[in-house]
Amino acid sequence: MVFYIIGLGLADERDITVKGLEAVKRSQRVYLEAYTSLLLVPKEQLEEFYGKEVIVADREMVEMEADSILEGAEEGDVSFLVVGDPFGATTHTDLELRARGRGIPVQVIHNASIMNAVGACGLQLYRFGEAVSIVFFTDSWRPDSFYDRIAANRRAGLHTLCLLDIKVKEPSLESLARGKKVYEPPRFMSVGTALQQLLEIEETRGGGAYGPDTLCVGVARIGSDSQRIVAGTMQQLLDVDFGPPLHSLVIAGDTHHIEQEYLEQFMVGRPGGPAAAAADEGGSAATGVVPPS
Protein backbone atom coordinates (compact mmCIF):
# COMPACT_ATOMS: atom_id res chain seq x y z
CA MET A 1 0.00 0.00 0.00
CA VAL A 2 1.30 3.47 -0.86
CA PHE A 3 0.98 7.04 0.38
CA TYR A 4 1.17 9.18 -2.75
CA ILE A 5 2.21 12.83 -2.69
CA ILE A 6 1.12 14.13 -6.08
CA GLY A 7 1.89 17.43 -7.76
CA LEU A 8 -1.08 18.95 -9.59
CA GLY A 9 0.70 21.58 -11.64
CA LEU A 10 -0.38 25.20 -11.73
CA ALA A 11 -3.79 25.85 -13.22
CA ASP A 12 -6.64 23.34 -13.33
CA GLU A 13 -7.71 19.72 -13.08
CA ARG A 14 -6.11 18.83 -16.44
CA ASP A 15 -2.57 19.62 -15.30
CA ILE A 16 -2.16 16.43 -13.31
CA THR A 17 0.22 13.92 -14.91
CA VAL A 18 -0.99 10.59 -16.27
CA LYS A 19 0.99 8.83 -13.52
CA GLY A 20 -0.62 11.06 -10.91
CA LEU A 21 -4.12 10.49 -12.22
CA GLU A 22 -3.64 6.72 -12.19
CA ALA A 23 -2.55 6.90 -8.55
CA VAL A 24 -5.56 9.04 -7.61
CA LYS A 25 -7.96 6.58 -9.22
CA ARG A 26 -6.40 3.71 -7.22
CA SER A 27 -6.62 5.55 -3.92
CA GLN A 28 -9.14 4.90 -1.17
CA ARG A 29 -8.92 8.53 0.02
CA VAL A 30 -7.77 11.69 -1.75
CA TYR A 31 -6.72 14.87 0.07
CA LEU A 32 -6.12 18.31 -1.45
CA GLU A 33 -3.68 20.55 0.40
CA ALA A 34 -5.25 23.99 0.26
CA TYR A 35 -3.16 26.61 2.00
CA THR A 36 0.36 26.85 0.52
CA SER A 37 -1.14 27.47 -2.93
CA LEU A 38 -4.42 27.07 -4.81
CA LEU A 39 -5.56 25.92 -8.21
CA LEU A 40 -7.61 28.31 -10.33
CA VAL A 41 -10.67 26.04 -10.19
CA PRO A 42 -12.89 24.70 -7.37
CA LYS A 43 -12.40 21.21 -6.00
CA GLU A 44 -15.65 20.06 -7.61
CA GLN A 45 -13.94 20.20 -11.00
CA LEU A 46 -11.18 17.98 -9.68
CA GLU A 47 -13.73 15.52 -8.30
CA GLU A 48 -15.57 15.31 -11.63
CA PHE A 49 -12.36 14.82 -13.60
CA TYR A 50 -10.77 12.34 -11.16
CA GLY A 51 -13.97 10.45 -10.39
CA LYS A 52 -13.13 10.65 -6.68
CA GLU A 53 -14.24 12.60 -3.64
CA VAL A 54 -11.58 15.15 -2.70
CA ILE A 55 -11.11 16.04 0.97
CA VAL A 56 -9.78 19.57 1.50
CA ALA A 57 -6.83 19.56 3.90
CA ASP A 58 -6.35 23.01 5.40
CA ARG A 59 -3.37 24.17 7.45
CA GLU A 60 -4.84 22.90 10.72
CA MET A 61 -5.40 19.40 9.36
CA VAL A 62 -1.97 19.10 7.73
CA GLU A 63 0.03 20.54 10.61
CA MET A 64 -2.03 19.37 13.59
CA GLU A 65 -3.84 16.26 12.39
CA ALA A 66 -1.34 14.66 10.01
CA ASP A 67 -1.95 11.23 11.54
CA SER A 68 -5.57 11.33 10.36
CA ILE A 69 -4.37 11.80 6.77
CA LEU A 70 -2.05 8.78 7.08
CA GLU A 71 -4.68 6.67 8.83
CA GLY A 72 -5.26 3.42 6.96
CA ALA A 73 -2.46 3.99 4.45
CA GLU A 74 -0.94 0.71 5.64
CA GLU A 75 -3.94 -1.15 4.17
CA GLY A 76 -4.91 0.97 1.15
CA ASP A 77 -3.52 3.68 -1.11
CA VAL A 78 -3.99 7.30 -0.02
CA SER A 79 -3.25 10.34 -2.21
CA PHE A 80 -2.24 13.79 -1.00
CA LEU A 81 -2.55 16.38 -3.76
CA VAL A 82 -0.31 19.44 -3.81
CA VAL A 83 -0.68 22.43 -6.14
CA GLY A 84 2.54 22.79 -8.11
CA ASP A 85 5.23 20.30 -7.07
CA PRO A 86 5.17 18.25 -3.83
CA PHE A 87 8.41 19.76 -2.53
CA GLY A 88 7.35 23.38 -2.94
CA ALA A 89 6.71 23.62 0.83
CA THR A 90 8.47 22.09 3.83
CA THR A 91 5.13 20.89 5.23
CA HIS A 92 5.02 18.18 2.59
CA THR A 93 8.51 16.97 3.47
CA ASP A 94 7.36 16.60 7.07
CA LEU A 95 4.34 14.57 5.97
CA GLU A 96 6.56 12.23 3.98
CA LEU A 97 8.86 11.73 6.98
CA ARG A 98 5.87 10.93 9.19
CA ALA A 99 4.65 8.32 6.71
CA ARG A 100 8.05 6.67 6.41
CA GLY A 101 8.33 6.69 10.19
CA ARG A 102 5.19 4.56 10.31
CA GLY A 103 6.59 2.15 7.73
CA ILE A 104 4.26 3.38 4.99
CA PRO A 105 5.78 3.32 1.48
CA VAL A 106 5.77 6.80 -0.08
CA GLN A 107 5.78 7.65 -3.76
CA VAL A 108 6.23 11.26 -4.90
CA ILE A 109 4.88 12.23 -8.33
CA HIS A 110 6.30 15.54 -9.54
CA ASN A 111 4.78 18.31 -11.63
CA ALA A 112 5.41 21.90 -12.73
CA SER A 113 5.60 24.63 -10.09
CA ILE A 114 6.15 28.38 -10.05
CA MET A 115 9.81 27.61 -9.28
CA ASN A 116 10.37 26.42 -12.84
CA ALA A 117 7.37 27.83 -14.74
CA VAL A 118 8.55 31.38 -13.94
CA GLY A 119 11.06 30.80 -16.75
CA ALA A 120 8.16 31.72 -19.06
CA CYS A 121 9.08 35.37 -18.46
CA GLY A 122 12.37 34.86 -20.28
CA LEU A 123 14.76 35.14 -17.34
CA GLN A 124 16.91 32.01 -17.33
CA LEU A 125 16.39 29.68 -14.38
CA TYR A 126 20.08 29.04 -13.72
CA ARG A 127 20.51 32.79 -13.16
CA PHE A 128 18.10 32.84 -10.20
CA GLY A 129 19.35 33.09 -6.62
CA GLU A 130 17.53 32.27 -3.38
CA ALA A 131 13.75 32.68 -3.56
CA VAL A 132 11.98 34.74 -0.90
CA SER A 133 8.44 34.99 0.48
CA ILE A 134 6.69 38.35 0.89
CA VAL A 135 3.95 38.36 3.54
CA PHE A 136 1.19 40.89 4.17
CA PHE A 137 2.10 43.78 6.44
CA THR A 138 -0.09 44.42 9.46
CA ASP A 139 -0.31 47.48 11.69
CA SER A 140 2.10 45.88 14.16
CA TRP A 141 4.15 43.49 11.99
CA ARG A 142 6.19 44.62 8.98
CA PRO A 143 8.75 41.83 8.41
CA ASP A 144 11.80 42.54 6.27
CA SER A 145 14.08 39.56 6.88
CA PHE A 146 14.06 38.72 3.17
CA TYR A 147 15.70 42.06 2.33
CA ASP A 148 19.22 40.76 2.96
CA ARG A 149 18.63 37.76 0.69
CA ILE A 150 17.43 40.01 -2.14
CA ALA A 151 20.47 42.23 -1.59
CA ALA A 152 22.80 39.21 -1.73
CA ASN A 153 21.19 37.99 -4.95
CA ARG A 154 21.49 41.41 -6.52
CA ARG A 155 25.15 41.73 -5.53
CA ALA A 156 25.78 38.41 -7.27
CA GLY A 157 23.86 39.56 -10.34
CA LEU A 158 21.12 36.97 -9.74
CA HIS A 159 17.36 37.23 -10.16
CA THR A 160 15.04 36.85 -7.13
CA LEU A 161 11.71 35.04 -7.28
CA CYS A 162 9.32 36.56 -4.74
CA LEU A 163 6.51 34.24 -3.66
CA LEU A 164 3.55 36.36 -2.61
CA ASP A 165 1.40 35.73 0.44
CA ILE A 166 -1.95 33.96 0.33
CA LYS A 167 -4.25 33.67 3.31
CA VAL A 168 -6.95 31.02 3.22
CA LYS A 169 -8.96 30.04 6.30
CA GLU A 170 -6.92 32.29 8.58
CA PRO A 171 -8.49 33.01 12.00
CA SER A 172 -8.72 36.67 12.94
CA LEU A 173 -6.58 37.83 15.86
CA GLU A 174 -9.67 39.27 17.53
CA SER A 175 -11.47 35.93 17.43
CA LEU A 176 -8.41 34.11 18.81
CA ALA A 177 -8.27 36.57 21.69
CA ARG A 178 -11.88 35.72 22.46
CA GLY A 179 -11.16 32.00 22.34
CA LYS A 180 -13.41 31.25 19.36
CA LYS A 181 -12.03 31.03 15.84
CA VAL A 182 -13.67 33.18 13.20
CA TYR A 183 -12.00 32.92 9.82
CA GLU A 184 -11.18 35.95 7.70
CA PRO A 185 -12.09 36.12 3.99
CA PRO A 186 -9.38 34.76 1.67
CA ARG A 187 -6.68 37.26 0.66
CA PHE A 188 -4.14 37.01 -2.13
CA MET A 189 -1.21 39.41 -2.41
CA SER A 190 -0.97 41.28 -5.69
CA VAL A 191 2.18 42.37 -7.49
CA GLY A 192 1.29 45.97 -6.66
CA THR A 193 1.00 45.31 -2.93
CA ALA A 194 4.30 43.42 -2.92
CA LEU A 195 6.04 46.31 -4.69
CA GLN A 196 4.60 48.88 -2.29
CA GLN A 197 5.90 46.88 0.67
CA LEU A 198 9.29 46.29 -0.94
CA LEU A 199 9.78 49.99 -1.65
CA GLU A 200 8.75 50.86 1.90
CA ILE A 201 11.34 48.41 3.24
CA GLU A 202 14.06 49.85 1.00
CA GLU A 203 13.21 53.34 2.24
CA THR A 204 13.50 52.12 5.83
CA ARG A 205 16.63 49.97 5.39
CA GLY A 206 18.37 52.24 2.87
CA GLY A 207 20.78 49.54 1.72
CA GLY A 208 20.33 50.15 -1.99
CA ALA A 209 19.32 46.56 -2.74
CA TYR A 210 16.76 47.85 -5.24
CA GLY A 211 14.73 50.96 -5.96
CA PRO A 212 11.92 52.45 -8.07
CA ASP A 213 14.02 52.07 -11.23
CA THR A 214 14.92 48.40 -10.66
CA LEU A 215 13.79 46.05 -13.43
CA CYS A 216 11.14 43.56 -12.33
CA VAL A 217 8.74 41.11 -13.92
CA GLY A 218 5.25 40.51 -12.58
CA VAL A 219 3.51 37.25 -13.45
CA ALA A 220 -0.06 36.14 -12.84
CA ARG A 221 -1.85 32.82 -13.27
CA ILE A 222 1.20 31.20 -14.86
CA GLY A 223 0.30 28.03 -16.73
CA SER A 224 -3.31 29.05 -17.37
CA ASP A 225 -4.95 30.35 -20.55
CA SER A 226 -5.17 33.79 -18.91
CA GLN A 227 -1.56 34.04 -17.75
CA ARG A 228 -0.17 37.59 -17.72
CA ILE A 229 3.47 38.67 -17.77
CA VAL A 230 4.54 42.31 -17.61
CA ALA A 231 8.09 43.66 -17.26
CA GLY A 232 9.14 47.15 -16.22
CA THR A 233 10.61 49.11 -13.36
CA MET A 234 9.15 48.77 -9.89
CA GLN A 235 7.55 52.17 -10.30
CA GLN A 236 5.99 51.25 -13.65
CA LEU A 237 4.58 47.93 -12.40
CA LEU A 238 2.84 49.66 -9.49
CA ASP A 239 0.28 50.90 -12.03
CA VAL A 240 -0.34 47.59 -13.80
CA ASP A 241 -3.48 45.58 -13.09
CA PHE A 242 -2.47 41.93 -13.29
CA GLY A 243 -6.03 40.72 -12.79
CA PRO A 244 -7.12 37.87 -10.50
CA PRO A 245 -4.62 35.82 -8.42
CA LEU A 246 -2.26 34.07 -8.11
CA HIS A 247 0.60 36.57 -8.59
CA SER A 248 4.39 36.30 -8.30
CA LEU A 249 7.18 38.81 -8.76
CA VAL A 250 10.73 38.58 -10.04
CA ILE A 251 13.34 41.21 -9.14
CA ALA A 252 15.86 41.05 -11.98
CA GLY A 253 19.59 40.88 -11.45
CA ASP A 254 22.07 41.30 -14.27
CA THR A 255 20.44 40.35 -17.57
CA HIS A 256 22.02 38.53 -20.50
CA HIS A 257 21.31 40.00 -23.94
CA ILE A 258 19.11 37.01 -24.78
CA GLU A 259 17.08 37.63 -21.60
CA GLN A 260 16.79 41.31 -22.52
CA GLU A 261 15.59 40.45 -26.01
CA TYR A 262 12.96 38.04 -24.67
CA LEU A 263 11.75 40.53 -22.05
CA GLU A 264 11.09 43.18 -24.69
CA GLN A 265 7.79 41.55 -25.65
CA PHE A 266 6.53 42.04 -22.08
CA MET A 267 7.78 45.58 -21.42
CA VAL A 268 5.39 48.29 -20.24
CA GLY A 269 4.96 50.94 -22.89
CA ARG A 270 6.15 48.84 -25.81
CA PRO A 271 3.91 49.42 -28.87
CA GLY A 272 1.54 46.48 -28.99
CA GLY A 273 2.86 45.22 -25.66
CA PRO A 274 1.26 45.11 -22.20
CA ALA A 275 -0.45 48.34 -21.25
CA ALA A 276 -0.26 49.85 -17.81
CA ALA A 277 -4.02 50.33 -17.89
CA ALA A 278 -6.27 47.92 -16.05
CA ALA A 279 -6.84 44.62 -17.84
CA ASP A 280 -10.29 43.11 -17.80
CA GLU A 281 -9.54 39.61 -16.59
CA GLY A 282 -13.05 38.86 -15.40
CA GLY A 283 -12.78 37.06 -12.07
CA SER A 284 -14.95 34.10 -12.86
CA ALA A 285 -14.15 30.59 -11.78
CA ALA A 286 -12.52 30.08 -15.16
CA THR A 287 -9.80 32.69 -14.63
CA GLY A 288 -9.81 33.55 -10.96
CA VAL A 289 -8.80 31.50 -7.96
CA VAL A 290 -11.72 29.80 -6.25
CA PRO A 291 -10.81 28.77 -2.69
CA PRO A 292 -11.74 25.12 -2.06
CA SER A 293 -14.91 24.66 -0.04
Side-chain angles (χ1 to χ4, degrees), residues 1-3 28-31 55 61 65-79 95 98-99 102 104:
M1 302 300 104
V2 179
F3 180 65
Q28 294 181 351
R29 296 195 315 281
V30 179
Y31 294 90
I55 304 166
M61 175 180 285
E65 304 172 26
D67 288 341
S68 69
I69 295 173
L70 298 173
E71 194 66 37
E74 297 92 342
E75 289 82 37
D77 294 345
V78 174
S79 285
L95 196 57
R98 286 173 178 265
R102 291 176 53 164
I104 300 169

Side-chain angles (χ1 to χ4, degrees), residues 121-124 127-129 150-151 153-162 195 198 209-211 213-218 231-234 237 249-256 259-260 263 267:
C121 75
L123 296 177
Q124 297 167 3
R127 297 173 62 87
F128 276 73
I150 296 173
N153 287 344
R154 295 268 292 162
R155 284 194 299 270
L158 302 176
H159 314 311
T160 305
L161 172 61
C162 302
L195 287 168
L198 283 164
Y210 51 80
D213 294 330
T214 297
L215 176 64
C216 291
V217 186
T233 66
M234 285 189 166
L237 294 188
L249 175 70
V250 179
I251 302 172
D254 298 338
T255 53
H256 187 272
E259 294 176 305
Q260 294 170 9
L263 280 177
M267 293 299 293

Side-chain angles (χ1 to χ4, degrees), residues 91-292:
T91 298
H92 311 137
T93 304
D94 177 70
L95 196 57
E96 178 183 0
L97 291 173
R98 286 173 178 265
R100 294 191 186 282
R102 291 176 53 164
I104 300 169
V106 177
Q107 183 173 345
V108 176
I109 301 176
H110 294 282
N111 210 320
S113 76
I114 189 61
M115 302 295 285
N116 55 17
V118 72
C121 75
L123 296 177
Q124 297 167 3
L125 292 178
Y126 67 86
R127 297 173 62 87
F128 276 73
E130 185 176 359
V132 303
S133 296
I134 312 294
V135 301
F136 281 111
F137 281 174
T138 68
D139 292 339
S140 59
W141 190 52
R142 307 177 94 72
D144 64 358
S145 59
F146 51 79
Y147 180 88
D148 295 324
R149 283 175 280 166
I150 296 173
N153 287 344
R154 295 268 292 162
R155 284 194 299 270
L158 302 176
H159 314 311
T160 305
L161 172 61
C162 302
L163 305 173
L164 308 188
D165 200 7
I166 69 171
K167 292 191 179 297
V168 178
K169 201 175 180 183
E170 294 278 344
S172 68
L173 293 177
E174 182 181 354
S175 70
L176 289 175
R178 294 178 176 177
K180 183 178 181 181
K181 289 183 180 179
V182 176
Y183 296 103
E184 297 179 338
R187 297 174 65 200
F188 308 94
M189 184 178 287
S190 67
V191 167
T193 297
L195 287 168
Q196 289 171 358
Q197 294 187 181
L198 283 164
L199 288 170
E200 179 180 322
I201 290 170
E202 176 57 54
E203 186 174 349
T204 301
R205 296 284 293 266
Y210 51 80
D213 294 330
T214 297
L215 176 64
C216 291
V217 186
V219 301
R221 302 173 304 285
I222 285 292
S224 74
D225 294 337
S226 68
Q227 78 173 24
R228 183 162 168 78
I229 303 173
V230 185
T233 66
M234 285 189 166
Q235 189 63 51
Q236 288 173 322
L237 294 188
L238 280 172
D239 298 323
V240 176
D241 182 354
F242 284 85
L246 299 169
H247 295 186
S248 299
L249 175 70
V250 179
I251 302 172
D254 298 338
T255 53
H256 187 272
H257 69 88
I258 294 177
E259 294 176 305
Q260 294 170 9
E261 182 178 350
Y262 199 93
L263 280 177
E264 281 298 318
Q265 65 185 303
F266 303 124
M267 293 299 293
V268 170
R270 184 184 71 86
D280 180 12
E281 296 287 356
S284 65
T287 58
V289 170
V290 180

Side-chain angles (χ1 to χ4, degrees), residues 12-14 16 21 24-25 30 32 39 41-55 81:
D12 58 36
E13 73 279 7
R14 298 168 297 168
I16 193 170
L21 183 59
V24 167
K25 290 184 177 294
V30 179
L32 172 63
L39 287 181
V41 296
K43 78 178 183 77
E44 287 76 13
Q45 284 186 224
L46 274 65
E47 291 176 325
E48 182 178 357
F49 189 75
Y50 302 157
K52 288 279 186 176
E53 177 188 2
V54 174
I55 304 166
L81 310 181

